[in-house]
Amino acid sequence: MRKEVTVVGAGSWGTALASVLAENGHQVTLWVRDPKLADEVNSKHTNAKYLPEAKLAESIVATTDIQAAVSDKPIVLLAVPSHAMRQICRQLAPFLHKDVLLIHATKGFELESLKRMSEVIMEEIPPEISGKLAVLSGPSHAEEVVRRQPTTVVVASEAEESMLRAQDLLMNANFRVYTNHDLIGAEIAGALKNIIALGAGMSDGLGFGDNAKAALLTRGLAEISRLGIKLGALPLTFSGLAGVGDLIVTCTSRHSRNWRAGFMLGQGKKLDDALEQMGMVVEGVRTTHAAHALAQREQVEMPITSVLYGILFEGKEPRQGVEELMGRGKTFEMGYLNPDGSIEA
Ligand SMILES: NC(=O)C1=CN([C@@H]2O[C@H](COP(=O)(O)OP(=O)(O)OC[C@H]3O[C@@H](n4cnc5c(N)ncnc54)[C@H](OP(=O)(O)O)[C@@H]3O)[C@@H](O)[C@H]2O)C=CC1
Ligand SMILES: O=C(CO)COP(=O)(O)O
């Protein structure tokens, strides 16, 4: 059945999700910050800055008016960078319908509070809406989604009905949507994989091979799981699409902004120059900061995150970081399996 859906955020991910929804026959409004981009979407049906090769459905209507975009809409999907989430929610909260299905697709933490995105959203929107919130996560580069290449994702919510509604809304022949009740795990896995993707890009930039990449992915998943479980996630979520699935795609794909930024750092570029050259959000940088603080607060060992923190924010050379990781004390591989996040052996 055709539904009215508003997508908030017209970067690469918001634009790709708007395309999926339009393809599914829904009436899509796209909230765009930049009036020039709104004109471009409405007249040329393109988004040259964020998805240069994509031809968008003519039925997608872009607007810069947040009130008009979300007022009384039955479904709102948020796809903004994590640093903008609280401000955007504050702006749109007064206009949300009390029965709105709210889905977010953002992968990050709020740096100042170390909160997950759903915690930030829930603080800003009315309580009758927040209990029904869903998150969309999983291995899904926008560039492949707009080309209708096979993609699998997961929607997670504590509210069964929201999860199923979000699945129905987004699923099509090229975009397969699974459900999961573990909202916390889906959010944490989706955010933390970007740290490891920065590391994987760095490893490639330094000229290391597949063994190093495999090590980063596997030991990265170990520390992601360790922190996630300590913060209330279900362990199995980390072996699913939001966990290992997204870790694989982000650490191995040339589409990944995090991998690309990491690659430049590995080749000797300074962080600010790498970010400027990217021109798109590289969530892993802020997430490294947040995860480093969370690991300290929760007393969880996260060696890769700690080394990346040193490289990104303390001037450590990438090669020195690799030496530190390889030279750590002897340890038991499966220590992370303890449900409270502590290391057993
Ligand atoms: N790209 C992808 O393939 C995927 C991305 N994600 C996640 O989606 C989220 C959005 O990322 P993505 O679309 O890639 O980002 P992009 O870098 O492609 O686009 C960023 C978008 O956010 C807007 N923006 C930047 N700052 C603000 C602000 N302060 N207030 C409002 N809007 C702002 C930009 O607008 P302007 O142009 O006006 O600056 C632009 O529309 C991230 O959390 C990312 O991890 C998740 C899955 C896949
Ligand atoms: O989350 C993503 C793919 O699932 C996108 O990752 P990047 O932000 O690194 O491009």
Side-chain angles (χ1 to χ4, degrees):
M1 205 174 77
R2 184 174 163 87
K3 304 213 169 62
E4 268 191 278
V5 190
T6 293
V7 177
V8 175
S12 40
W13 196 215
T15 305
L17 289 170
S19 292
V20 170
L21 290 161
E23 193 187 325
N24 290 0
H26 302 303
Q27 187 185 321
V28 181
T29 303
L30 183 61
W31 177 77
V32 180
R33 187 163 74 149
D34 175 4
K36 282 203 206 95
L37 179 56
D39 286 345
E40 182 191 332
V41 170
N42 290 332
S43 58
K44 294 193 193 149
H45 315 291
T46 57
N47 181 346
K49 180 172 177 196
Y50 290 109
L51 281 175
E53 282 161 30
K55 186 74 191 155
L56 308 178
E58 295 189 8
S59 61
I60 298 173
V61 176
T63 176
T64 54
D65 181 343
I66 193 103
Q67 178 171 355
V70 304
S71 279
D72 288 326
K73 290 287 163 60
I75 304 162
V76 174
L77 199 163
L78 305 167
V80 295
S82 57
H83 68 263
M85 184 61 90
R86 188 177 290 279
Q87 188 51 41
I88 294 279
C89 287
R90 212 164 265 178
Q91 271 176 267
L92 57 77
F95 312 114
L96 289 176
H97 190 279
K98 67 174 180 33
D99 292 324
V100 68
L101 168 62
L102 201 58
I103 307 166
H104 88 81
T106 298
K107 293 174 179 170
F109 288 89
E110 184 176 60
L111 191 47
E112 299 74 16
S113 67
L114 306 181
K115 288 182 175 155
R116 289 177 284 104
M117 284 298 105
S118 64
E119 295 178 295
V120 171
I121 298 167
M122 284 180 197
E123 285 177 359
E124 299 299 333
I125 62 173
E128 63 269 24
I129 301 171
S130 58
K132 293 181 284 185
L133 188 65
V135 57
L136 173 69
S137 199
S140 47
H141 281 304
E143 294 79 358
E144 295 185 7
V145 170
V146 286
R147 276 189 230 132
R148 300 184 183 186
Q149 297 195 335
T151 298
T152 54
V153 293
V154 57
V155 278
S157 176
E158 282 158 13
E160 177 90 6
E161 198 200 334
S162 301
M163 204 169 74
L164 297 175
R165 281 179 70 196
Q167 183 180 41
D168 277 346
L169 183 79
L170 288 157
M171 183 121 155
N172 67 35
N174 308 308
F175 198 75
R176 183 166 173 77
V177 185
Y178 290 79
T179 53
N180 186 327
H181 285 114
D182 183 17
L183 175 117
I184 298 179
E187 284 189 306
I188 292 176
L192 295 183
K193 60 85 188 173
N194 285 332
I195 304 173
I196 308 304
L198 278 170
M202 218 175 276
S203 174
D204 287 333
L206 284 165
F208 296 137
D210 300 335
N211 297 349
K213 182 82 71 69
L216 274 168
L217 267 120
T218 314
R219 295 313 300 165
L221 188 61
E223 67 182 63
I224 289 173
S225 310
R226 214 153 43 216
L227 181 63
I229 292 165
K230 194 77 187 274
L231 294 173
L234 298 177
L236 265 182
T237 300
F238 298 100
S239 55
L241 291 167
V244 72
D246 212 356
L247 194 60
I248 291 172
V249 90
T250 321
C251 291
T252 60
S253 168
R254 299 306 195 249
H255 293 308
S256 166
R257 285 141 274 263
N258 288 286
W259 181 90
R260 280 153 68 192
F263 187 82
M264 288 189 241
L265 295 174
Q267 292 211 312
K269 264 214 159 71
K270 294 279 162 250
L271 178 61
D272 287 347
D273 297 337
L275 294 180
E276 199 184 320
Q277 191 168 327
M278 281 303 308
M280 287 187 269
V281 66
V282 180
E283 289 277 18
V285 174
R286 293 169 72 86
T287 305
T288 302
H289 209 298
H292 186 255
L294 280 166
Q296 285 183 334
R297 190 187 81 189
E298 300 294 329
Q299 301 276 291
V300 171
E301 208 183 345
M302 297 188 76
I304 301 172
T305 302
S306 170
V307 158
L308 277 164
Y309 181 88
I311 295 169
L312 295 176
F313 305 114
E314 295 177 330
K316 192 192 295 279
E317 287 299 325
R319 270 183 199 281
Q320 189 195 335
V322 176
E323 278 167 29
E324 282 178 22
L325 283 172
M326 294 302 289
R328 292 174 65 240
K330 295 170 184 165
T331 187
F332 176 62
E333 186 190 16
M334 295 298 171
Y336 70 93
L337 280 183
N338 247 353
D340 70 353
S342 61
I343 304 226
E344 199 168 59

